[in-house]
Amino acid sequence: MGVSVKVTSKRPKMGVIGCGGISRAHFRVAEELQKKGLLELVAVCDIVEAKAREKGEMYKIPYFTDTEKILRMDMDFVDICTGDYTHHVIAKLAAEHGKHMLIEKPMAITLPCCDVIINACRK
């Protein structure tokens, strides 16, 4: 039995939440995918305005300090690059806004926090 894969010419639109240390590798990958026409980086967010502004200006995209505002943008998914202890809160918000998400391990710091993400996605 084969797997069916739908090929589309649409480049997925991605936002990044968290512009600190871990995001450096994520931005490098996003840059490469953009060069190949496989991704469109559309916005960034960080609670530290200077970090958000730096990345926003670097990529010539909107930047935010408010997670709710970035999630209102037209994008397919968010890359959550914040501290592990915030993953479940941000992922729940992303799911409530109908966004797909990329979260590095750990998904969350406790099983109940993982359940918050899973249940939000199910809804």
Side-chain angles (χ1 to χ4, degrees), residues 38-79:
L38 299 172
L39 178 81
E40 182 179 357
L41 182 60
V42 297
V44 294
C45 180
D46 197 286
I47 58 171
V48 177
E49 185 176 2
K51 288 180 182 181
R53 183 184 324 107
E54 176 188 348
K55 293 299 185 188
E57 290 174 355
M58 178 186 296
Y59 295 105
K60 297 176 178 54
I61 56 176
Y63 65 89
F64 301 92
T65 58
D66 182 330
T67 304
E68 289 276 351
K69 288 182 180 176
I70 190 174
L71 291 172
R72 288 187 204 120
M73 290 200 58
D74 176 28
M75 68 179 69
D76 299 298
F77 73 102
V78 291
D79 184 359

Side-chain angles (χ1 to χ4, degrees), residues 9-61:
S9 61
K10 180 185 172 225
R11 293 182 309 167
K13 296 178 182 179
M14 177 181 88
V16 177
I17 300 176
C19 297
I22 194 67
S23 72
R24 285 189 300 256
H26 294 240
F27 281 112
R28 283 194 298 271
V29 171
E31 286 173 22
E32 290 301 314
L33 291 173
Q34 282 198 123
K35 287 178 190 174
K36 295 177 181 181
L38 299 172
L39 178 81
E40 182 179 357
L41 182 60
V42 297
V44 294
C45 180
D46 197 286
I47 58 171
V48 177
E49 185 176 2
K51 288 180 182 181
R53 183 184 324 107
E54 176 188 348
K55 293 299 185 188
E57 290 174 355
M58 178 186 296
Y59 295 105
K60 297 176 178 54
I61 56 176

Side-chain angles (χ1 to χ4, degrees), residues 3 5-6 11 15 18 27 40 53 59 67 71 73 77 81 92 101 104 108-110 113 117 121:
V3 175
V5 176
K6 182 179 178 183
R11 293 182 309 167
F27 281 112
E40 182 179 357
R53 183 184 324 107
Y59 295 105
T67 304
L71 291 172
M73 290 200 58
F77 73 102
C81 297
K92 182 177 184 289
M101 62 206 79
E104 272 201 9
I109 58 171
T110 66
C113 288
I117 297 171
C121 290

